[in-house]
Amino acid sequence: MKIALLQIISGPDKGENVARASDGIREAAASGATLIVLPEATSQAFDQGRLDTQAEDLDGPFSVGLRDVADELGVTVVAGMFRPADTNGDLNRVYNTALITGRGVHKGYDKIHTYDVASYKESATVKPGRDLVTFVHEDAVVGLATCFDIRFPEQFKALARLGADLIVVPTSWADGANKLLQWRALTVARALDAGVFIAAAGQARPGGRARAGQASGPTGIGHSVVVAPDGRRVAEAGYEPDIVYAEIDVREVENARATLDVLSWPAG
């Protein structure tokens, strides 16, 4: 199975982001990719205005636009978006959703672990999800996680116990001191924890390499990466917009678990 990670920079306009994503999906499909993963916040970048004003359900124009492209090309697409959730005081909260669409699938995963650290509380505007989500693509079971979820190994182990061979992680990771080091360590650790492939598609770094390492909001650090079950980085991008390709062979998952079956230990 050939996968592609589309490392883009989303903007504030949902319609323009659909067009940008669609162009990348077409390029990836033309190169033979059948599973194409885009970043968290593909529909509207963070720090580009209120999320609730462009939030939509799975029958909205962003979701349907990507479904139409995926169906036309015969591929499966995963992309970050926002859906209406509830009201928290004066704030309309959204779900931070990873849309899965194409090949007869059209559903979403709502990010479980919101970024509530120090003085920043994502849960004030984003309602946490509760349910693990998987889907089948060709010969693989694919699990979903989003950005900050990468810090929670039990979610990845739980997805592996549900049969996941590959876990895709749409991301918009913040830059700053040691943030790239943490990102690279966490993606490898989660592959090793669960004995799975990790395919993490991030927003490219606004300003590119010239601003690398400077503190930023959650607007992207690039370094989309595919990690094998044995911890090898199969493919990795830099800071700039890019498309990362990799071949996934689920037999590597079987081999990794036969060598060291970390999932055989009881959960909890």
Side-chain angles (χ1 to χ4, degrees):
M1 170 176 46
K2 187 172 184 177
I3 68 171
L5 310 181
L6 269 57
Q7 184 166 289
I8 62 173
I9 297 177
S10 299
D13 184 86
K14 188 163 60 175
E16 292 179 1
N17 290 332
V18 170
R20 181 180 294 111
S22 297
D23 288 344
I25 293 166
R26 291 184 185 282
E27 181 177 345
S31 295
T34 61
L35 175 60
I36 301 167
V37 187
L38 289 92
E40 180 185 23
T42 295
S43 67
Q44 177 187 341
F46 290 112
D47 290 347
Q48 296 284 343
R50 288 173 48 169
L51 301 177
D52 62 323
T53 59
Q54 294 199 54
E56 64 174 58
D57 286 315
L58 297 183
D59 58 355
F62 177 83
S63 308
V64 171
L66 292 192
R67 183 185 65 191
D68 289 347
V69 173
D71 286 347
E72 175 193 341
L73 299 173
V75 300
T76 301
V77 171
V78 178
M81 59 174 289
F82 302 99
R83 297 190 305 113
D86 63 9
T87 300
N88 181 24
D90 296 332
L91 299 174
N92 298 318
R93 291 202 300 181
V94 299
Y95 288 112
N96 186 337
T97 299
L99 168 72
I100 309 112
T101 192
R103 294 192 170 191
V105 176
H106 190 74
K107 62 182 181 179
Y109 159 71
D110 299 325
K111 185 168 88 168
I112 291 172
H113 298 98
T114 51
Y115 186 66
D116 289 7
V117 296
S119 61
Y120 185 88
K121 297 209 177 293
E122 185 183 15
S123 61
T125 55
V126 176
K127 183 176 181 178
R130 300 180 62 182
D131 299 326
L132 299 175
V133 173
T134 65
F135 65 97
V136 176
H137 181 80
E138 297 181 5
D139 59 350
V141 177
V142 184
L144 274 293
T146 298
C147 201
F148 194 54
D149 287 334
I150 199 81
R151 290 190 179 272
F152 298 87
E154 292 307 321
Q155 178 172 345
F156 289 75
K157 292 178 182 178
L159 287 166
R161 289 187 173 105
L162 290 175
D165 305 293
L166 162 67
I167 299 175
V168 298
V169 192
T171 300
S172 188
W173 197 258
D175 200 354
N178 297 320
K179 292 292 288 184
L180 178 56
L181 179 153
Q182 294 169 19
W183 169 248
R184 299 186 85 212
L186 288 164
T187 49
V188 170
R190 296 299 80 87
L192 292 170
D193 287 337
V196 295
F197 282 95
I198 298 292
Q203 294 272 349
R205 177 59 163 103
R209 177 176 289 277
R211 300 193 64 183
Q214 299 179 33
S216 71
T219 52
I221 196 172
H223 289 81
S224 300
V225 65
V226 178
V227 184
D230 63 2
R232 288 176 296 113
R233 292 189 183 92
V234 176
E236 184 175 13
Y239 291 97
E240 314 290 341
D242 199 357
I243 301 180
V244 174
Y245 295 97
E247 293 282 351
I248 299 297
D249 185 346
V250 297
R251 290 175 295 183
E252 290 193 47
V253 175
E254 298 169 4
N255 292 339
R257 292 178 184 169
T259 302
L260 180 61
D261 187 7
V262 293
L263 300 178
S264 64
W265 272 261

